[in-house]
Amino acid sequence: MNYVKGNFASTHQHPHEQCGYVISGEYRLNMEMPEENIEVLLHAGDSYAIPGNTPHSFEVMESGEVVDVFTPPREDYL
């Protein structure tokens, strides 16, 4: 995924587990976990995992590239 500063995915959830690896840029990831809400800034070399059906949002702070993997595959992205 190629992102531009200011891109934003508002809070949403999906049944797919989502994992990613940050190649470049800076991103703010928020996850609403049962025990607590998690907010993290992601930079080049960072990775993340979002369990299926977990509400989350994603904001692009600095333009860059991220490899996103979904399981099962997201048919709407094919």
Side-chain angles (χ1 to χ4, degrees):
M1 307 286 263
N2 292 306
Y3 291 106
V4 176
K5 182 177 180 175
N7 286 159
F8 187 83
S10 59
T11 301
H12 65 286
Q13 65 187 58
H14 40 75
H16 314 84
E17 180 177 352
Q18 180 178 356
C19 297
Y21 177 77
V22 178
I23 296 172
S24 61
E26 181 181 64
Y27 310 88
R28 176 177 290 126
L29 173 64
N30 290 292
M31 293 189 295
E32 297 176 14
M33 303 299 287
E35 344 39 86
E36 66 178 318
N37 289 343
I38 296 172
E39 179 179 307
V40 63
L41 283 178
L42 300 166
H43 302 92
D46 290 339
S47 60
Y48 56 90
I50 305 168
N53 296 311
T54 300
H56 59 283
S57 63
F58 192 78
E59 181 180 0
V60 181
M61 310 305 290
E62 296 285 335
S63 298
E65 191 173 13
V66 173
V67 175
D68 258 328
V69 178
F70 296 87
T71 187
R74 287 197 56 170
E75 297 294 327
D76 55 329
Y77 281 10
L78 299 178

